[in-house]
């Protein structure tokens, strides 16, 4: 079993910054992708940013140039640095991890952390 624990959400003014962290623990043999999704008011959950083990990344167009994803493979930790935040970035941010565990492959989600950007 694999668990994800997120931290770093909160309230920030527009133009400000926040850094989210997510630590994965448990029966992990190999971690493949780690990433961040969000659910904004009135919308479905959407991809924000994702990173493969080799460092390849993919971002939502709306966050390009403002958000940066990074990870520490030794610690099974993924980060999301969010700069120039906008009110439309407000939502619940979820960590996602996919990989190979014991005894099977896994895909797990964190509990979510709330990000509120005031105008």
């Amino acid at each position: 079993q694999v668990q994800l624990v997120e931290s770093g959400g909160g309230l920030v003014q527009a133009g400000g910054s926040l850094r989210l962290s997510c630590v994965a623990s448990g029966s992990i043999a190999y971690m493949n992708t780690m990433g961040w999704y969000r659910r904004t008011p009135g919308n479905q959950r959407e991809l924000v940013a994702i990173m493969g083990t080799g460092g390849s990344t993919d971002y939502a167009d709306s966050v390009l140039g403002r958000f940066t994803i990074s990870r520490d493979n030794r610690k099974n930790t993924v980060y999301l640095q969010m700069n120039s935040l906008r009110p439309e970035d407000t939502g619940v941010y979820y960590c996602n991890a996919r990989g190979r565990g014991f005894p099977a492959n896994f895909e797990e989600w964190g509990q979510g952390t709330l990000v509120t950007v005031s105008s």
Side-chain angles (χ1 to χ4, degrees), residues 79-100:
Y79 306 96
L80 185 67
Q81 178 66 43
M82 305 185 292
N83 298 328
S84 302
L85 282 160
R86 304 168 180 168
E88 53 264 40
D89 295 318
T90 294
V92 179
Y93 284 69
Y94 298 91
C95 177
N96 173 272
R98 302 184 182 100
R100 187 168 67 246

Side-chain angles (χ1 to χ4, degrees), residues 15-91:
S17 298
L18 284 174
R19 188 189 194 214
L20 307 183
S21 300
C22 172
V23 181
S25 62
S27 302
I28 301 169
Y30 176 79
M31 185 70 78
N32 191 357
T33 62
M34 299 189 79
W36 293 93
Y37 291 71
R38 69 184 180 188
R39 189 190 305 275
T40 56
N43 295 308
Q44 294 183 330
R45 187 158 55 186
E46 61 177 356
L47 172 70
V48 177
I50 193 167
M51 177 176 270
T53 303
S56 61
T57 58
D58 191 21
Y59 291 91
D61 289 343
S62 60
V63 306
L64 272 173
R66 300 188 298 123
F67 292 10
T68 302
I69 189 171
S70 60
R71 58 189 277 187
D72 185 333
N73 292 329
R74 293 173 301 174
K75 297 180 180 179
N76 286 325
T77 300
V78 64
Y79 306 96
L80 185 67
Q81 178 66 43
M82 305 185 292
N83 298 328
S84 302
L85 282 160
R86 304 168 180 168
E88 53 264 40
D89 295 318
T90 294

Side-chain angles (χ1 to χ4, degrees), residues 11-16 85-90 116-119:
L11 173 65
V12 64
Q13 288 188 329
L85 282 160
R86 304 168 180 168
E88 53 264 40
D89 295 318
T90 294
T116 304
V117 184
S118 63
S119 57

